[in-house]
Amino acid sequence: MSAPNLFIVYVTDVTESTAFYSTAFEIEPRFTSPRFVEFEVAPGVGLALWSGHASAVAPDAVRTSEVCLNLPGGPGEIDAQFRHWQQLGIEILQPPHDDVFGRTFVARDPDGNLLRVAPVDPA
């Protein structure tokens, strides 16, 4: 059985969003085009930014998914990432708090797409 290996985030301005994601996640794109940019986030797994369907990113569109950054190291690492993103000027929607899976917080990209930082799930 095949597993998903590319996750697409709809954006209105690929250039702006590429700069945002490059800065937030400290990664560089592996493929760029005028309306589509892909980052390799793990071997064989990509995160793409696509402006091909501008109507899908209307400002009032409901955001029902999240891009999640799972960090090892416990609550201190989550809080450190929160402070780092605050220094970068990333908009925080939900400050660090403890949830059923551990310490977490939620931010958003320039198009309102949700970004969650949470601990690595225990194996």
Side-chain angles (χ1 to χ4, degrees):
M1 177 179 211
S2 298
N5 60 4
L6 179 65
F7 302 90
I8 300 172
V9 175
Y10 292 111
V11 300
T12 54
D13 183 326
V14 169
T15 301
E16 176 186 25
S17 293
T18 299
F20 175 87
Y21 279 83
S22 291
T23 299
F25 295 119
E26 299 176 359
I27 56 177
E28 293 298 321
R30 74 171 178 180
F31 175 83
T32 61
S33 73
R35 294 186 353 245
F36 182 89
V37 170
E38 184 181 349
F39 298 93
E40 183 175 46
V41 294
V45 180
L47 173 67
L49 309 175
W50 188 27
S51 68
H53 291 298
S55 63
V57 293
D60 58 349
V62 176
R63 307 300 177 179
T64 59
S65 63
E66 299 176 342
V67 172
C68 188
L69 173 62
N70 290 121
L71 297 176
E77 292 300 317
I78 304 299
D79 290 341
Q81 188 69 38
F82 169 74
R83 290 188 299 274
H84 177 64
W85 279 10
Q86 277 189 311
Q87 291 171 350
L88 293 174
I90 294 174
E91 183 179 358
I92 305 298
L93 297 179
Q94 198 175 58
H97 62 282
D98 295 320
D99 212 319
V100 295
F101 48 81
R103 192 90 172 143
T104 186
F105 71 90
V106 178
R108 73 179 192 165
D109 75 5
D111 287 292
N113 296 300
L114 302 178
L115 308 173
R116 178 177 297 277
V117 176
V120 172
D121 292 331

